[in-house]
Amino acid sequence: MADDFLNIDLVFRNGLKDFEALPPDSVWDSVQTSLPGKKERNIRLMFARAASVAILTASAGTLLWYAGSELSDGINRQQAVTLNQEQMPGGSYVTPKAVATPVINTPVISDVATQQSPPGEPARNGLSQSPEQLRTADLSADFKKENRFLPLALIQYKAVEETGFGGKEKREKEFLLSDIELTDQQQGGEKWKLGAAFLPAYYSKFSFGNDDAAKDYIKEEDLAFSYSGGLSLAFNVSRRLSVQAGMVLNTMGQKIEGLTSYSGFIKYTEAKSGSDFAIRTASGTINSVNKDIYFTDSRNISRVLTMYTADIFDPVKANLQYVGSSVIQNLKYLELPVSLHYKLIDRTVDISMSGGISYNILVGNNSYVQSEGVKYMIGKTTGLSPVTFSSSLGLGMEYKLSPSMTLSVEPVFRYYITPLGGITGSSIHPYSFGVMSGFFYNF
Amino acid sequence: MNDIKEIIKGCLEGSRRDQELLYRRHAPKLYGVCLQYSDSDEEARDILQEGFIKIFQNLQNYKHEGSFEGWMRRIVVNTALEKYRARHNLYRVDDIETINEPEAEPGNDDYAGVQADDLLYLIRNLPPKYRMVFNLYAIEGYSHKEISEMLSISEGTSKSNLSRARVILQKKVSLYTGLRRSVING
């Protein structure tokens, strides 16, 4: 008798030892929404980490800034010489200052021991039915119908001596941690991310130095939106830290006010080559190569450098056609950014902080005046640095749309460590606020 | 494979990904335990949910000594016992009865081929008080003294409930295997 009892104990013990069943997803949903007490710890941890990242980024930025200053100085000297000697028309200058620039129920089976169907009567419960009916119709129908159970371990018999049944001291052996390999999804083991991102940004600029002319120019240059887009590749160094690099085309520009332009000047120009008009901006000088456009200052700031000054040439009397009162200056940069991203909050919506630098190559440079939708190209801005360095600091959110696709939205602050260009004696450093949004494929 | 210590560390730091990783890795086995101790799937889900919440809330008390799965399983079993006590404390009069150990029918030691889900079904259809004692003694390995403390019953009642559970299960399993054998032998 005792052996029979031990035997039945073993049947259940061994049979259910490795039993597993998948709980509905709703359980995890409820669990994760009932985990208070962690938030305070997270917030403290988040701020500590945020502070560390900010300090590191600021330190790196400062060092780079000093390095960038020396580089830009060298560029400034070189460009100033080029503009003064080769690109200005002959004759007298209107402004005396030097030009220049830079910068996730079972059925109740009655007790068979007490309920047995009389001979000749139809079976009333599962256990009086055939084994096949028993299995498929009653015992496990619900379980199988819902397909909730994982593959089960077969019951394997062993002698009592072999299994060592009977002691609490053996309990631990049955609770050994299984070495269940996780799927990639469970591990969150994607190492790479490839994505496309778009970043509209709003630009402004800092002006260093005591050049009053530069300050006056900046006042009359309307801030402009810039648009950049490109591809990026990220490598997850660890669960929280990743390194990202990419290639981005950034189009930025500004509207320069205080300039009136007229068309029809070509019949009056005497220069066969070169430029009759040079327009000074905070980031460089636009040397007009459009012989048909006449420029004149319309405000108190002297921007236009020309020998056709108002006292020598009157565009109204010359019957020139009015075009507009501003000049649009467009610059395109091919940017090669490298940044570090650190996850501050690692949940359904990840929140991370990023800091990085970018090597920017000037690939597009043109200016134009616009009238009734028609653009009159006037030329390039000289005095711009062909290469610039910028730093960025962002606080982003990432949402997993699927195991392999992520939506990223990241407000970004960028600051140009080296100037785009500028007026000699001053240093114009643009900065921007933008929101980068993109989709990333994780693999 | 992520090391369990790293996952636990991540959970303690509040990483939702590590918490989900821990849940996804151990929930199937612990849900199996919940099903053994419950009358319905709904009750099993409740036990699992409360169990995991306790696991996360007490994770800092786990000292990395002994089996982590064993530690989690004990929490889940204790959660099931709390629910059982809350639902069955009105019937404590049954617990103090002393019943002579019943005679079992001739045993049948050939139970090969009984599937785990059938065993689960049989165990879940035991009267709750028999089921609890059987689970704690035969599956978990607790002694009658420990079970009496856990369920606030006498050791005699624990032994009696175990015997009744065994008799019922033995008859069901014997009938099951007998029917199965008769079909196989024609």
Side-chain angles (χ1 to χ4, degrees):
Chain A
M1 179 59 65
D3 283 350
D4 289 336
F5 281 155
L6 289 178
N7 206 349
I8 199 70
D9 286 1
L10 276 175
V11 169
F12 283 88
R13 167 177 277 199
N14 292 336
L16 295 171
K17 182 174 64 181
D18 298 317
F19 179 75
E20 294 183 352
L22 281 176
D25 285 336
S26 58
V27 177
W28 166 242
D29 294 338
S30 302
V31 170
Q32 69 172 332
T33 55
S34 309
L35 292 176
K38 300 287 184 188
K39 289 180 180 175
E40 291 179 9
R41 173 198 296 265
N42 287 342
I43 291 171
R44 286 197 299 272
L45 196 65
M46 182 185 75
F47 279 113
R49 286 174 174 168
S52 302
V53 172
I55 290 169
L56 285 172
T57 306
S59 302
T62 303
L63 287 172
L64 286 169
W65 184 80
Y66 280 116
S69 295
E70 291 182 7
L71 176 62
S72 61
D73 285 347
I75 292 172
N76 288 344
R77 285 192 294 274
Q78 181 183 0
Q79 288 166 347
V81 169
T82 303
L83 183 64
N84 285 330
Q85 293 182 345
E86 299 175 359
Q87 298 177 329
M88 288 306 297
S92 63
Y93 292 104
V94 173
T95 50
K97 292 182 180 176
V99 186
T101 26
V103 229
I104 330 198
N105 282 328
T106 58
V108 175
I109 186 173
S110 49
D111 187 340
V112 248
T114 56
Q115 291 186 26
Q116 292 185 355
S117 301
E121 286 189 9
R124 295 192 305 177
N125 60 48
L127 290 177
S128 351
Q129 297 171 13
S130 70
E132 286 76 13
Q133 291 172 313
L134 182 73
R135 171 169 300 285
T136 59
D138 288 319
L139 283 175
S140 54
D142 283 359
F143 296 156
K144 290 173 180 172
K145 183 168 59 185
E146 295 181 23
N147 194 26
R148 288 180 288 108
F149 294 121
L150 294 175
L152 306 172
L154 291 178
I155 300 171
Q156 295 183 353
Y157 277 88
K158 289 183 180 178
V160 173
E161 295 78 14
E162 275 184 78
T163 57
F165 161 78
K168 176 187 175 186
E169 63 280 4
K170 298 293 183 187
R171 198 183 308 146
E172 288 295 319
K173 287 186 178 178
E174 297 198 356
F175 300 156
L176 287 175
L177 188 65
S178 58
D179 291 330
I180 302 172
E181 287 293 343
L182 298 178
T183 63
D184 284 346
Q185 180 181 349
Q186 287 170 320
Q187 292 184 28
E190 299 87 357
K191 279 289 183 187
W192 296 90
K193 283 197 304 187
L194 178 63
F198 178 70
L199 171 71
Y202 190 70
Y203 268 82
S204 186
K205 46 204 166 195
F206 289 124
S207 172
F208 298 103
N210 297 317
D211 195 301
D212 292 334
K215 291 175 182 173
D216 289 339
Y217 291 157
I218 290 172
K219 284 179 189 170
E220 297 296 329
E221 293 175 3
D222 288 346
L223 303 172
F225 279 105
S226 94
Y227 303 90
S228 60
L231 299 174
S232 69
L233 182 67
F235 176 72
N236 297 321
V237 178
S238 69
R239 202 177 61 246
R240 290 183 180 276
L241 184 66
S242 63
V243 179
Q244 192 168 309
M247 185 177 287
V248 177
L249 184 62
N250 182 13
T251 301
M252 55 193 287
Q254 61 184 351
K255 187 176 185 181
I256 301 164
E257 303 285 2
L259 290 166
T260 303
S261 55
Y262 300 86
S263 64
F265 183 66
I266 194 163
K267 56 190 174 188
Y268 298 102
T269 183
E270 293 177 0
K272 293 197 170 119
S273 62
S275 175
D276 286 327
F277 301 90
I279 302 167
R280 302 214 320 166
T281 73
S283 49
T285 300
I286 304 169
N287 288 302
S288 175
V289 294
N290 190 330
K291 298 292 182 183
D292 195 46
I293 304 296
Y294 174 89
F295 291 94
T296 184
D297 290 312
S298 57
R299 296 185 183 173
N300 294 328
I301 301 169
S302 296
R303 289 180 179 274
V304 179
L305 304 176
T306 180
M307 60 183 186
Y308 297 97
T309 55
D311 54 340
I312 295 175
F313 184 84
D314 187 339
V316 177
K317 286 183 179 174
N319 205 24
L320 298 190
Q321 186 175 357
Y322 173 80
V323 176
S325 61
S326 61
V327 170
I328 308 296
Q329 188 178 37
N330 267 350
L331 303 176
K332 283 186 181 177
Y333 284 90
L334 178 63
E335 303 183 343
L336 304 172
V338 177
S339 57
L340 285 178
H341 295 247
Y342 187 81
K343 283 184 185 171
L344 301 171
I345 296 179
D346 188 13
R347 297 188 178 173
T348 306
V349 176
D350 296 336
I351 293 182
S352 59
M353 195 164 186
S354 67
I357 59 171
S358 177
Y359 179 75
N360 313 311
I361 304 168
L362 181 65
V363 295
N365 172 10
N366 63 65
S367 300
Y368 59 88
V369 291
Q370 191 165 6
S371 176
E372 296 176 348
V374 178
K375 289 181 180 176
Y376 299 88
M377 304 304 296
I378 59 175
K380 298 179 183 296
T381 302
T382 60
L384 295 173
S385 302
V387 173
T388 61
F389 287 92
S390 60
S391 60
S392 65
L393 195 62
L395 187 64
M397 289 165 283
E398 276 191 1
Y399 180 74
K400 271 206 166 187
L401 298 171
S402 73
S404 60
M405 191 64 73
T406 303
L407 168 65
S408 175
V409 177
E410 180 178 22
V412 176
F413 170 74
R414 295 184 64 190
Y415 173 71
Y416 281 75
I417 301 166
T418 59
L420 293 185
I423 297 172
T424 301
S426 69
S427 177
I428 310 297
H429 294 260
Y431 62 90
S432 69
F433 289 98
V435 179
M436 188 219 59
S437 54
F439 291 92
F440 288 86
Y441 176 71
N442 310 303
F443 58 100
Chain B
M1 180 178 148
N2 294 42
D3 180 70
I4 190 65
K5 287 185 178 178
E6 285 295 316
I7 295 175
I8 291 174
K9 185 181 175 188
C11 291
L12 288 171
E13 291 174 351
S15 164
R16 186 49 51 87
R17 183 170 292 181
D18 281 323
Q19 288 169 346
E20 185 169 3
L21 196 59
L22 185 78
Y23 174 86
R24 299 286 179 205
R25 182 185 285 194
H26 297 284
K29 195 150 195 174
L30 293 177
Y31 187 49
V33 175
C34 295
L35 289 169
Q36 285 175 225
Y37 283 83
S38 59
D39 290 323
S40 65
D41 289 356
E42 184 180 359
E43 185 182 357
R45 290 194 291 268
D46 288 346
I47 294 171
L48 184 69
Q49 178 184 324
E50 288 181 27
F52 260 105
I53 290 171
K54 288 178 183 173
I55 287 170
F56 286 125
Q57 289 176 339
N58 292 282
L59 210 48
Q60 72 274 15
N61 297 326
Y62 176 64
K63 305 301 181 189
H64 297 280
E65 296 167 357
S67 159
F68 179 59
E69 189 174 315
W71 181 79
M72 289 194 297
R73 184 177 178 119
R74 282 192 288 277
I75 289 179
V76 169
V77 169
N78 283 332
T79 303
L81 293 179
E82 285 170 14
K83 278 204 169 293
Y84 168 79
R85 284 194 293 262
R87 290 183 57 183
H88 298 90
N89 58 358
L90 293 176
Y91 307 105
R92 289 281 299 279
V93 64
D94 290 340
D95 296 334
I96 59 172
E97 65 183 343
T98 298
I99 302 170
N100 293 327
E101 195 168 288
E103 289 291 325
E105 292 184 355
N108 185 336
D109 59 359
D110 182 10
Y111 301 138
V114 185
Q115 299 295 317
D117 51 349
D118 296 333
L119 290 173
L120 178 67
Y121 179 79
L122 294 177
I123 215 169
R124 293 184 77 190
N125 281 282
L126 280 173
K129 58 185 178 181
Y130 298 163
R131 181 176 67 236
M132 301 307 282
V133 172
F134 183 81
N135 274 328
L136 292 170
Y137 187 90
I139 309 292
E140 309 296 339
Y142 287 105
S143 68
H144 284 298
K145 185 173 185 303
E146 290 171 315
I147 295 172
S148 65
E149 290 168 354
M150 291 168 141
L151 300 178
S152 300
I153 58 177
S154 66
E155 285 187 52
T157 302
S158 176
K159 291 177 182 175
S160 170
N161 288 349
L162 175 65
S163 294
R164 290 194 165 200
R166 282 169 164 172
V167 170
I168 294 170
L169 291 172
Q170 196 167 42
K171 285 180 178 176
K172 287 184 176 181
V173 173
S174 294
L175 184 55
Y176 175 87
T177 51
L179 287 169
R180 182 170 176 275
R181 192 183 304 112
S182 65
V183 170
I184 293 172
N185 298 332

